[in-house]
Amino acid sequence: MKKDCLLIVAWVGATACGVSATGPGTTVLENARLRMVFEKETSPVLRALVPKPAGTNVVSADGSPLFALQFATTNGQPLTVDSRQAARGTAEVRPDGDGQRMRLTFEGFTSAEGVRVVLDGRLDADAPFVRWAIAVDNPGRLPLRTVRFPYVKAAPTLGDPGDDVLIGPAFPGVLIENPAKNWPETRLLSWEFPGNQSVQFCAYQDRATGVYLASMDTEGYGRSLTVEKQKGALLLYQEYRLPEEAAAKWSGPYETALGGAAGAWQDTADIYKQWAVRQSWCAKTLAQRTDIPDYWKAGPCIHTCEVRTYDTNRLCSGSYYPLLADHLRSLRERIGGPVVPMLPGWENHRRWTGGEYFPIFDEERAKPVLAQLNGEGFRPFVFLSGLYYTFKNEGRDGGDVPGWEQYADSLVIASETGKPKIQVLNEMTPGQGDVWRRHSYVFCPAAPGTRAFFRSVVDRLHALGIDIVQMDQTVSGAGVACASAEHGHLPGPGLYQSQAFRALLADMRQYGKSLSPSFMLAHEELHEELIPYLDAFHTREHRERWWYRSVPGARGIPLFTYLYHEYAIAYGGEGPHAGSAKSPTIVREMAVNLVTGKTPAVSVWSYQTAMAKAHPDQIRMLRNHQGLLATEARQHLILGRMLHPLEFAAETVTLKIGKSPAPFLERAVLTSSWQSPDGDVGHCFVNITDRPQRASLSLDARGAATWPTADIDLIRADPAARSPLTRGAKLPHAYTLELAPLEAAFIVLRPTGR
């Protein structure tokens, strides 16, 4: 056999295990759910990826490379080498129990002399994907910077492009509809860790077929998932980030997955969840965790209300502390449930000024007010400005901020300068022409002095009566890469960024709880690895056409909630902004927080009088939320597992969201389905319109239980009232739900007689 051809080796018995050849130079890896065809060129090429039972190949007509290597060059432009550039390759496949194993090799790269790549795959008997590992021999120590694997060049459309979607792990989750239509001819979108990647999979699919791509990293390495639209194809790849010092041998530190996807986005999330719930961050459910305070599990409304007032030029003009208690009492009475005030502007200097937090703003008047709030059950809550130590505020209420020098040994060092890294955050309001910039240094989470600093912050907050703290502005879920050789880590990017950050959170939380069992630590935005180290997450499930959901064709999906709701509490961010005008958009935002199982939230920021003037529709939706949480629906909406939602016909409403002129289409009745810790099944419904709505339902247990019959109750939210619908009903059970304008309801199913 010639040296430059593909060697195919099939062991005896391979055909019996579902591995078959379709012709010379072709190998098929196959089970009951997936078929992958590798074809001879000079080295293996992925010719087909076929999820079953659809039988539709999702790979581009000209086949797909299997990986791409990126090397640094002297001109600053990376050199990319993909698997098709290998002059030689082999493919070997053999049975492995009820499944198969495959090995692919590639060598003879003209532009990467001496490099050899080995891919090892395992397809279990009933798995929808192949688990892959990659190793690179690099005897010349060429400057290899990134490895893109798995890598698949998919067809530009999957049949009718109208139902094609991309599923993305952008914090709470994003669904990008019809990328063939909504994206330009070339477009690239990456979800990175550290960064906005909250979970480790993405997919490109329609109801019948598609591609599933996932990392399986349990440690927190630098990585990304990318979708890239090119002319005639859609690329999907997972990227490993390598150390700057090249090694003669490198192996991927975690496995990856490449396989098929189809159905609703929840069907694909189910594939990932089977792996995810076996990881350390899912060791205990919320119902099993006694370390999270009961008051938080009750689902209080998080109310963002600044303690500073401002004049017409947006300069600080005074303190809101004297009016705060009355403000909160009024809100609690109007919405009918507990309130936790989040207090922006509490810091010594301007809002979000990190580092020199104390003495807090207007401390002498603040102390008795904070004590009063605690005495009345309001539990004050503040954000820390993450790992930042601000040394200068520019613009409004600006000036130099002292004190950073005493922490110089704990700051991130920039590789370019050998000095503390400077981060400039521009918080100017677009279009207003004002200046509000922060110039900050950054704590390295691995530095010994960092823990001491944050313990001191927790100490002083506790002394003031503040025991709910959020690590804000660390949305990446890790620390910043640091070039110091004095912090106990190798200089440059590395695993320490995530591991040291998790250790810092664990230390803050343990220390805070040693001071008070009521202490809580929250984090801005979602990361699966952080679940055991926190009491709560701050997320913006309700936001659309914004930040991580701003790409063309994007709309939100509760992906993180679907995967992890029974393991992690998330509150509704800084909340929809209360206002006096009638706003279907704000009502929808509040309803989204309810139906996706967030704790309620509403904000006024520094427009404190807006809460008293809030439109009755907004108060009604907050009362809906609190009303349901006062019933057994809380077991589902706070502690339960999200299930596939019921499907039923509903009116479509048109909303104006963001700056886009395109209408945002939403269902008039939002819905979700749940399973409580004790096994009951619940269905939530919220009418977001000011018109009565009717839903013709086929009630069942959503596959979470196999009861032949069920007792069914209906809970109305405001005022909270429960009534039996039927007893011993055979499932599925037909029922027509009538909802008044802006009404919320919850239907509970339990086994007959329990």
Side-chain angles (χ1 to χ4, degrees):
M1 185 174 287
K2 295 181 180 179
K3 290 184 178 180
D4 62 350
C5 71
L6 173 66
L7 176 63
I8 305 292
V9 181
W11 279 272
V12 175
T15 302
C17 290
V19 181
S20 60
T22 59
T26 301
T27 295
V28 178
L29 190 61
E30 187 169 13
N31 67 5
R33 300 181 67 181
L34 181 67
R35 186 172 190 260
M36 295 183 73
V37 179
F38 300 86
E39 190 173 276
K40 169 189 174 180
E41 288 183 356
T42 55
S43 59
V45 172
L46 178 61
R47 184 61 64 186
L49 190 158
V50 183
K52 297 181 181 181
T56 304
N57 180 22
V58 299
V59 172
S60 176
D62 60 346
S64 173
L66 290 160
F67 61 82
L69 312 178
Q70 283 200 325
F71 298 89
T73 63
T74 55
N75 66 10
Q77 296 299 316
L79 169 68
T80 301
V81 176
D82 72 39
S83 63
R84 276 186 154 170
Q85 295 172 245
R88 298 177 298 281
T90 66
E92 302 173 351
V93 62
R94 62 179 175 84
D96 181 45
D98 292 334
Q100 305 97 41
R101 287 186 179 270
M102 170 172 270
R103 169 163 286 192
L104 306 171
T105 68
F106 306 80
E107 56 188 316
F109 297 96
T110 302
S111 54
E113 187 176 353
V115 168
R116 181 174 184 267
V117 178
V118 178
L119 309 180
D120 285 306
R122 185 174 81 251
L123 179 62
D124 294 331
D126 195 39
F129 57 79
V130 179
R131 296 176 72 120
W132 289 101
I134 183 170
V136 180
D137 290 339
N138 182 15
R141 296 182 183 269
L142 302 177
L144 181 60
R145 292 291 180 262
T146 63
V147 174
R148 293 175 175 174
F149 175 76
Y151 184 107
V152 61
K153 183 180 180 183
T157 62
L158 304 172
D160 179 0
D163 65 347
D164 291 355
V165 297
L166 292 167
I167 302 170
F171 291 142
V174 66
L175 192 76
I176 300 167
E177 299 174 320
N178 196 351
K181 174 185 176 182
N182 289 317
W183 280 14
E185 186 171 82
T186 58
R187 176 78 194 227
L188 183 146
L189 179 62
S190 288
W191 298 287
E192 300 183 346
F193 180 82
N196 66 351
Q197 185 193 114
S198 62
V199 303
Q200 299 179 56
F201 89 92
C202 66
Y204 169 45
Q205 67 185 76
D206 62 14
R207 287 280 177 163
T209 192
V211 181
Y212 171 84
L213 177 66
S215 313
M216 294 179 171
D217 175 13
T218 61
E219 300 297 326
Y221 289 91
R223 59 179 190 268
S224 65
L225 295 166
T226 298
V227 292
E228 182 177 349
K229 185 179 178 182
Q230 296 183 348
K231 186 176 181 179
L234 192 75
L235 308 182
L236 296 93
Y237 50 86
Q238 194 270 171
E239 186 171 276
Y240 295 94
R241 310 283 172 76
L242 275 64
E244 291 187 8
E245 186 173 343
K249 291 182 179 293
W250 174 86
S251 296
Y254 52 85
E255 289 186 316
T256 56
L258 177 63
W265 66 262
Q266 292 93 340
D267 292 300
T268 307
D270 287 335
I271 296 173
Y272 183 76
K273 186 163 184 170
Q274 290 180 16
W275 173 81
V277 297
R278 298 196 300 269
Q279 307 314 312
S280 60
W281 51 80
C282 289
K284 289 184 178 181
T285 65
L286 288 170
Q288 295 166 333
R289 287 184 65 173
T290 58
D291 55 323
I292 298 175
D294 288 341
Y295 71 81
W296 195 260
K297 291 182 180 180
C301 179
I302 309 304
H303 177 47
T304 303
C305 179
E306 183 148 359
V307 295
R308 298 172 188 250
T309 60
Y310 296 87
D311 62 21
T312 55
N313 295 316
R314 300 301 296 157
L315 295 170
C316 182
S317 61
S319 172
Y320 195 66
Y321 276 117
L323 302 176
L324 186 58
D326 285 342
H327 176 112
L328 295 172
R329 290 189 202 104
S330 173
L331 175 60
R332 181 167 61 185
E333 181 177 354
R334 293 174 74 198
I335 67 174
V339 174
V340 167
M342 198 288 281
L343 306 176
W346 67 276
E347 307 92 333
N348 180 7
H349 300 278
R350 193 174 71 186
R351 186 207 299 169
W352 308 138
T353 301
E356 196 188 47
Y357 291 113
F358 305 99
I360 66 171
F361 170 72
D362 196 20
E363 183 165 301
E364 290 310 306
R365 280 196 289 185
K367 285 180 178 179
V369 173
L370 293 171
Q372 182 182 16
L373 296 183
N374 277 300
E376 296 184 27
F378 285 111
R379 301 184 186 276
F381 177 14
V382 299
F383 287 6
L384 304 182
S385 289
L387 296 169
Y388 293 122
Y389 198 112
T390 302
F391 63 88
K392 180 181 180 180
N393 282 323
E394 182 182 356
R396 290 189 281 116
D397 295 322
D400 293 335
V401 181
W404 68 268
E405 296 87 352
Q406 61 185 307
Y407 303 106
D409 291 345
S410 298
L411 301 178
V412 168
I413 300 300
S415 59
E416 303 84 357
T417 64
K419 297 179 180 180
K421 185 179 183 68
I422 296 174
Q423 296 270 28
V424 180
L425 293 97
N426 187 346
E427 298 171 287
M428 293 187 292
T429 303
Q432 291 192 5
D434 60 349
V435 176
W436 198 7
R437 294 189 185 92
R438 274 188 295 155
H439 300 256
S440 303
Y441 298 123
V442 189
F443 280 101
C444 175
T450 300
R451 287 193 186 188
F453 170 79
F454 281 98
R455 280 193 173 202
S456 72
V457 172
V458 171
D459 256 332
R460 295 190 68 171
L461 288 173
H462 174 70
L464 291 165
I466 299 173
D467 286 318
I468 308 178
V469 178
Q470 177 162 305
M471 187 64 95
D472 200 56
Q473 302 162 46
T474 50
V475 293
S476 71
V480 176
C482 175
S484 173
E486 307 298 325
H487 295 167
H489 61 77
L490 293 175
L495 188 57
Y496 72 90
Q497 291 175 248
S498 54
Q499 292 187 339
F501 182 66
R502 295 198 298 266
L504 174 63
L505 294 179
D507 185 75
M508 289 175 64
R509 189 167 179 267
Q510 181 181 17
Y511 184 68
K513 289 182 183 294
S514 74
L515 300 175
S516 168
S518 296
F519 181 85
M520 273 191 45
L521 183 63
H523 185 268
E524 182 181 10
E525 288 302 347
L526 308 155
H527 289 282
E528 60 191 1
E529 302 96 333
L530 300 185
I531 290 173
Y533 304 96
L534 299 167
D535 296 274
F537 286 102
H538 162 295
T539 192
R540 300 164 174 99
E541 192 79 72
H542 59 286
R543 297 294 296 270
E544 296 283 356
R545 294 179 172 173
W546 174 81
W547 192 4
Y548 40 77
R549 290 173 171 171
S550 61
V551 298
R555 67 180 298 134
I557 54 172
L559 177 61
F560 194 92
T561 297
Y562 184 81
L563 293 169
Y564 293 122
H565 187 270
E566 67 269 40
Y567 297 97
I569 295 179
Y571 71 92
E574 58 274 25
H577 200 293
S580 59
K582 186 177 182 66
S583 173
T585 298
I586 293 176
V587 166
R588 176 203 169 269
E589 290 179 342
M590 292 176 170
V592 167
N593 276 341
L594 193 170
V595 82
T596 60
K598 307 299 174 291
T599 59
V602 63
S603 68
V604 291
W605 291 93
S606 58
Y607 299 92
Q608 293 92 344
T609 59
M611 198 68 251
K613 301 174 183 177
H615 193 278
D617 291 357
Q618 298 164 28
I619 299 301
R620 174 69 188 276
M621 200 54 66
L622 290 170
R623 289 187 65 86
N624 282 338
H625 205 154
Q626 295 282 26
L628 287 181
L629 294 184
T631 72
E632 68 180 280
R634 182 183 69 87
Q635 294 293 316
H636 300 259
L637 293 172
I638 298 294
L639 304 178
R641 173 169 71 102
M642 183 179 260
L643 307 174
H644 286 234
L646 289 175
E647 295 186 9
F648 57 91
E651 175 189 340
T652 298
V653 296
T654 301
L655 302 172
K656 175 70 171 68
I657 295 181
K659 296 180 180 179
S660 171
F664 185 89
L665 303 181
E666 185 61 277
R667 292 170 59 90
V669 178
L670 305 186
T671 189
S672 58
S673 296
W674 306 88
Q675 185 175 36
S676 69
D678 61 5
D680 293 347
V681 171
H683 305 290
C684 185
F685 307 91
V686 187
N687 177 5
I688 65 171
T689 74
D690 55 8
R691 303 176 298 281
Q693 297 290 336
R694 173 179 292 180
S696 297
L697 308 174
S698 179
L699 298 172
D700 62 22
R702 302 282 76 204
T706 57
W707 320 314
T709 61
D711 294 342
I712 305 176
D713 291 343
L714 172 64
I715 301 172
R716 302 276 183 181
D718 184 25
R722 173 177 171 171
S723 59
L725 286 185
T726 185
R727 294 292 180 262
K730 184 178 179 180
L731 300 181
H733 176 72
Y735 176 70
T736 299
L737 176 65
E738 304 279 355
L739 290 169
L742 301 173
E743 185 181 18
F746 200 90
I747 295 177
V748 179
L749 289 74
R750 61 178 56 82
T752 298
R754 190 170 76 187

